[in-house]
Amino acid sequence: MEIIKTINEMRQYVKNCKKEGLSIGLVPTMGYLHNGHGALIKKSVNDNDITVVSIFVNPTQFSINEDLDKYPRDMDRDSKLVKSIGGDVIFNPEPEEMYQNNITKVSVSGLSNKLCGITRPTHFDGVCQVVSKLFNIVTPDNAYFGLKDLQQYIIIKTMVDNLNFPVTLNPIKIVRDENGLALSSRNTYLTDDERKSALSLNLSLKYAKQLIEEGERDVSKIIAKMYDLIISYPYTKVDYIKIVDNDTLEDLLTIVNENYHILLAVYVGNTRLIDNYSSIV
Ligand code: AMP
């Protein structure tokens, strides 16, 4: 397993692979890898001759009051995990390598300013910028994204379709711990008590599914019950709970068919966590 730090070396590596007719899978990450990332890497290793895992804590997707500086990092542990799963390369550039004189923005308007985009208005433009750059540097046949970040996946899929990136996107379902908490690098910020409260996110999603199965169709009633469940746990503050149309991410008033997602963001202590139920996989 190789660690590559520069764009030129990464391009050269890819060029050699393509000369030999090898297929390439890309797994973009910010590192501090867990089994959620592991599931993406495993699928890529299974599908492709070569798997490139990018580890880059992308400054342009953080706003100034967010956790860029304290975002957890552990390259030694990450390298071991990638190697153990069979990944071939970690692409780990410095911010200066990625953002020399970069004034180009990529924006999927309409989808980026709702849900998480309300609390994080510049976030998805930063994500689209870095993912575009990674696609152009690595030119993967396949790229792997987790549905843990459902809005991100839908935005990137729209970007890929709209801008004709020659890459196939592969969505991977959420990996959870044994208690149902969606794995996230940010879970490391939680105290033991906060971790217990963080279970309320998944519990509220299950509750919503149960209500829908029992025949409830009124979205406002479902959301009110989810809200009450979450705030019955200490340290929680709801950022948003939404039930939206699959493609447009527009709010639904009524559940009419299976084409909906339920998404939520909740502060547990100072840590903002997201989770969702998606009809994608
Ligand atoms: P991150 O390092 O948080 O930017 O995540 C990198 C990729 O891993 C993204 O596509 C995430 O959606 C995905 N990912 C993170 N956590 C999980 C999880 N618990 N289950 C599935 N995919 C995940």
Side-chain angles (χ1 to χ4, degrees), residues 183-252:
L183 299 187
S184 164
S185 308
R186 288 192 169 96
N187 291 349
T188 183
Y189 300 150
L190 301 171
T191 64
D192 289 348
D193 284 345
E194 287 170 349
R195 222 183 152 90
K196 285 180 198 146
S197 289
L199 300 180
S200 63
L201 279 78
N202 185 39
L203 288 174
S204 75
L205 290 165
K206 282 189 170 162
Y207 185 33
K209 284 298 290 171
Q210 182 199 324
L211 292 169
I212 294 168
E213 269 159 33
E214 287 168 4
E216 183 58 81
R217 293 288 173 266
D218 184 332
V219 166
S220 64
K221 284 190 185 150
I222 299 167
I223 290 177
K225 287 183 175 167
M226 292 175 73
Y227 183 91
D228 287 344
L229 185 150
I230 292 169
I231 60 157
S232 73
Y233 285 75
Y235 317 111
T236 57
K237 193 176 123 219
V238 174
D239 181 5
Y240 70 81
I241 304 172
K242 293 277 186 185
I243 301 185
V244 299
D245 176 78
N246 255 2
D247 300 317
T248 63
L249 302 184
E250 290 294 336
D251 288 1
L252 292 177

Side-chain angles (χ1 to χ4, degrees), residues 28-31 34 36-37 40 71 144-149 152 172-175 182-183 185:
T29 83
M30 298 208 298
H34 49 64
H37 301 107
L40 276 61
Y71 196 85
Y144 297 81
F145 291 91
L147 292 177
K148 158 83 178 7
D149 298 276
Q152 167 176 286
I172 306 291
K173 72 175 188 201
I174 300 176
V175 178
L183 299 187
S185 308

